[in-house]
Amino acid sequence: MSEKIVEVKHLSKQFGKIRAIEDVSFDVFRGDIFGFLGPNGAGKSTTIRAMLSLIAPDSGQINLFGRELSKNRNYILSRIGCIIEKPDFYQYLSAEKNLEIFARVSGASVTLSKIHEMIEFVGLKGREKDKVGHFSHGMKQRLGIAQTILHNPELIILDEPNTGLDPQGSIDIRNLILKLKNEQNKTIMLSSHILSEIEIIASRMLIIVNGKSVVQGEVSALLNKQELIVTFEVDQLGKSLKIIGEKFEASIIGNNAHNLMQLRINHRDIPIVNQLLTESGVQVFGIEAKRKLEDYFLKLVNNDVLEKHL
C-alpha cells in the first residue's frame, strides 16, 4: 500500500443551523488522483477549506503528510498547492509578472526561468508577456495551475477546476492533471460534481452527499464496466418481459407503464437482448445503459435535491 498523505477522520462543520459536513472520513495515498465527487452544495468546498486551515472544523481530525494539521499548519501548507473555485490574478499585468508577484508573496524562491518553465508546462508558452485580462477562462485556469506548482508542492488540491469551461477547455485541464501525475509525480485531489469527469482520470474516489461520506474506493472497482443497468423502451412490454424472462430471468429488475423494461446485464448481452426482441416482433424504440454507480449517484443527487426543497 502506498504512503497515506491525507487522512481525514470524522470531520464535521456547522454554520448556524446548517450542517455543512457531518462525520466525513477519507484517505488519499501518494500518487493518487483522488476524485472528491458530489453534487453542488454537498460539502466538498467546506471539507477542502478545512484541509487548508481556512476554516476550523467543529470536530474531527485532519492529518497530512503524517502530521496533525492543527499543530503543523505552516509545515503542511508549504507542501500543498491549491485552486479553490477560480484563480485570481491582476488582470492588467502579464502572466509572467503575476507569477513573479505570487512567488514573492508566498515566500517561494523562484527564478524567472522557472516561471517560464511552468508557463510552458501548462501550455501557455509564448503568452508570458500578455496581459492576463486578455486570457480566456481556460487559459486563466491553466495559469492558475502554474501558480499552484511554483513552489513544487507534493499535494495539489483542485476545487471544481472545469467549472465554466467549454469541452476543449475541460480536456486541456484533464490532460494537464494527468501530466502533473505522470511527469511531476504529484498527488492530486480533484473535486467535481460530474461523475464522468472523475471516472476518466481518478484512481480512487469518494462520493459525498448532503455533507456525508457515502461511497469510497478504487474507481475501477466502483465503476464495474461489465455489469450495467440497461433500459429498453419497447412497444409491447408484457411480451418483452416474457421473452427476456425465458433467457435472462434473473436480470429483470423493473418495468413501468411507459413500456420501459430495466435489466441488469453484461454489456455484451445488449445486442443479444435487442435481437431477441426484434426477431419476436417487438419494436425497440430506445436503449439506455448506465453503470451501477452512475445510477446510484444520480439517485443520491436527486434525493439530495429533494431534501433541500422539503
Side-chain angles (χ1 to χ4, degrees), residues 108-125:
S109 179
V110 181
T111 63
L112 185 59
S113 63
K114 181 67 173 180
I115 288 174
H116 286 180
E117 179 186 333
M118 292 299 96
I119 290 175
E120 180 177 358
F121 180 81
V122 299
L124 293 175
K125 184 178 181 180

Side-chain angles (χ1 to χ4, degrees), residues 235-305:
D235 67 337
Q236 302 175 66
L237 182 59
K239 183 176 181 179
S240 299
L241 291 170
K242 182 178 179 181
I243 293 167
I244 300 307
E246 294 175 356
K247 291 185 175 292
F248 296 94
E249 182 179 3
S251 299
I252 298 175
I253 59 174
N255 60 86
N256 64 29
H258 299 288
N259 285 341
L260 299 177
M261 175 177 64
Q262 281 194 322
L263 308 177
R264 182 181 289 111
I265 55 177
N266 187 288
H267 77 292
R268 292 187 297 269
D269 291 331
I270 295 175
I272 296 174
V273 170
N274 186 53
Q275 184 177 357
L276 281 171
L277 294 173
T278 55
E279 288 182 349
S280 300
V282 175
Q283 293 189 65
V284 179
F285 299 116
I287 301 173
E288 180 183 7
K290 294 180 180 178
R291 285 171 294 277
K292 289 186 295 183
L293 182 60
E294 182 178 3
D295 188 65
Y296 179 49
F297 178 62
L298 290 174
K299 287 180 180 177
L300 290 171
V301 172
N302 290 336
N303 287 340
D304 180 49
V305 171

Side-chain angles (χ1 to χ4, degrees), residues 178-190:
L178 290 171
K179 280 181 66 177
L180 288 169
K181 171 181 167 56
N182 297 329
E183 296 181 18
Q184 295 204 3
N185 300 313
K186 303 299 184 185
T187 301
I188 299 154
M189 181 174 171
L190 170 67

Side-chain angles (χ1 to χ4, degrees), residues 58-262:
D58 296 330
S59 60
Q61 185 174 335
I62 301 171
N63 297 328
L64 295 106
F65 310 107
R67 301 191 185 188
E68 188 175 341
L69 175 61
S70 60
K71 300 177 181 178
N72 301 274
R73 182 179 184 275
N74 291 339
Y75 167 80
I76 287 171
L77 294 184
S78 69
R79 301 171 72 177
I80 297 175
C82 67
I83 296 179
I84 300 179
E85 295 177 353
K86 66 176 183 177
D88 289 322
F89 298 104
Y90 294 105
Q91 303 295 308
Y92 56 90
L93 295 180
S94 68
E96 173 188 279
K97 183 58 67 174
N98 267 282
L99 295 190
E100 283 183 14
I101 291 172
F102 175 80
R104 195 178 309 129
V105 169
S106 65
S109 179
V110 181
T111 63
L112 185 59
S113 63
K114 181 67 173 180
I115 288 174
H116 286 180
E117 179 186 333
M118 292 299 96
I119 290 175
E120 180 177 358
F121 180 81
V122 299
L124 293 175
K125 184 178 181 180
R127 306 299 299 269
E128 296 90 346
K129 304 291 186 180
D130 292 356
K131 291 181 179 179
V132 173
H134 297 155
F135 282 12
S136 67
H137 178 51
M139 293 169 67
K140 289 176 182 176
Q141 288 294 89
R142 281 186 277 152
L143 186 62
I145 291 177
Q147 178 178 285
T148 68
I149 59 178
L150 273 177
H151 61 297
N152 195 28
E154 297 173 53
L155 172 65
I156 297 173
I157 301 175
L158 303 175
D159 187 15
E160 300 273 6
N162 285 346
T163 298
L165 295 180
D166 59 24
Q168 184 57 54
S170 294
I171 291 171
D172 291 341
I173 294 298
R174 182 193 311 151
N175 290 337
L176 185 51
I177 291 170
L178 290 171
K179 280 181 66 177
L180 288 169
K181 171 181 167 56
N182 297 329
E183 296 181 18
Q184 295 204 3
N185 300 313
K186 303 299 184 185
T187 301
I188 299 154
M189 181 174 171
L190 170 67
S191 85
S192 177
H193 62 277
I194 304 171
L195 175 60
S196 58
E197 182 178 294
I198 297 299
E199 174 189 356
I200 292 172
I201 61 173
S203 50
R204 299 180 64 254
M205 68 184 294
L206 166 76
I207 295 179
I208 179 173
V209 176
N210 208 18
K212 299 179 181 179
S213 308
V214 179
V215 178
Q216 180 179 187
E218 299 283 341
V219 171
S220 58
L222 294 174
L223 288 169
N224 186 327
K225 294 184 178 181
Q226 298 300 309
E227 189 174 330
L228 305 171
I229 295 175
V230 185
T231 302
F232 290 83
E233 183 182 0
V234 296
D235 67 337
Q236 302 175 66
L237 182 59
K239 183 176 181 179
S240 299
L241 291 170
K242 182 178 179 181
I243 293 167
I244 300 307
E246 294 175 356
K247 291 185 175 292
F248 296 94
E249 182 179 3
S251 299
I252 298 175
I253 59 174
N255 60 86
N256 64 29
H258 299 288
N259 285 341
L260 299 177
M261 175 177 64
Q262 281 194 322

